[in-house]
Amino acid sequence: MMKLEQIKKKILAADGNDLRNRKSPLHLSASAVVFKGQDCFFILHPYLKEVLLPAGHVENMETPFACAIREFKEETGREVKFNAGERENLLDINLIHIPRNPLKNESSHFHIDLRYRLCLDSKHQENVNAELPVYLLKEKEAPDEFKKYYYINKG
């Protein structure tokens, strides 16, 4: 409940700023949690230099679920599958501090990050063209923050 209270405070403090506006102090983002067997997909973030889930900013007129799908494809070069009408599988919501990035002229800000469980589409994995370095990590290799998502593949 503490996490939700922190998110609520940030939203109220944003004073009506559009969560899709990259100049605002609070942005909406979405992440993809995708497994191949027991291994989860991660990328190396180009600015933060950290291993993270594929993720990005939710664009205007885009849902967070659609953003997670788009970002996974852009960053890993791989497709995910879902059935029409499938319920969005929201796993988690987090408040993430993003440090100042002078290369993009972005000030320090926060993301409200919605994390979705997506399924890899193994039929469309030839000619993979990833935007970022991609890692398939086992639970013991994953950053601590993400280890909790490995329960998905445990029966």
Side-chain angles (χ1 to χ4, degrees):
M1 190 62 163
M2 186 177 204
K3 181 169 49 171
L4 290 178
E5 284 300 316
Q6 288 178 315
I7 292 169
K8 179 181 173 183
K9 280 183 183 179
K10 286 290 180 190
I11 290 171
L12 292 174
D15 194 30
N17 282 328
D18 182 2
L19 294 178
R20 289 175 171 86
N21 178 353
R22 289 187 180 214
K23 298 294 183 194
S24 72
L26 185 64
H27 302 175
L28 190 58
S29 64
S31 299
V33 178
V34 180
F35 286 90
K36 182 176 183 181
Q38 297 300 308
D39 302 336
C40 188
F41 280 90
F42 291 93
I43 53 90
L44 179 62
H45 192 281
Y47 173 65
L48 299 175
K49 305 293 186 217
E50 292 181 39
V51 174
L52 301 170
L53 294 169
H57 291 94
V58 178
E59 303 293 338
N60 286 332
M61 307 303 290
E62 181 179 50
T63 67
F65 185 65
C67 174
I69 292 166
R70 176 181 55 77
E71 289 289 348
F72 184 80
K73 182 175 181 181
E74 288 175 4
E75 294 183 355
T76 71
R78 291 164 175 86
E79 303 264 352
V80 290
K81 63 181 177 179
F82 55 94
N83 300 320
E86 180 180 69
R87 198 175 114 247
E88 297 174 4
N89 198 347
L90 181 62
L91 292 176
D92 202 359
I93 301 173
N94 290 282
L95 184 64
I96 303 168
H97 177 257
I98 307 296
R100 181 177 169 274
N101 183 345
L103 298 174
K104 288 187 171 183
N105 197 25
E106 289 180 347
S107 59
S108 171
H109 60 279
F110 286 88
H111 284 186
I112 295 176
D113 187 57
L114 287 78
R115 295 186 178 161
Y116 292 93
R117 163 75 157 120
L118 300 170
C119 296
L120 188 65
D121 186 350
S122 57
K123 296 178 190 170
H124 298 96
Q125 302 314 318
E126 309 82 30
N127 304 322
V128 171
N129 188 16
E131 186 179 90
L132 299 173
V134 177
Y135 304 96
L136 267 172
L137 300 179
K138 298 188 179 319
E139 183 176 1
K140 65 182 179 184
E141 303 165 322
D144 287 342
E145 175 186 356
F146 308 112
K147 289 181 190 270
K148 62 186 172 187
Y149 302 127
Y150 282 80
Y151 77 88
I152 292 167
N153 288 325
K154 293 180 180 174

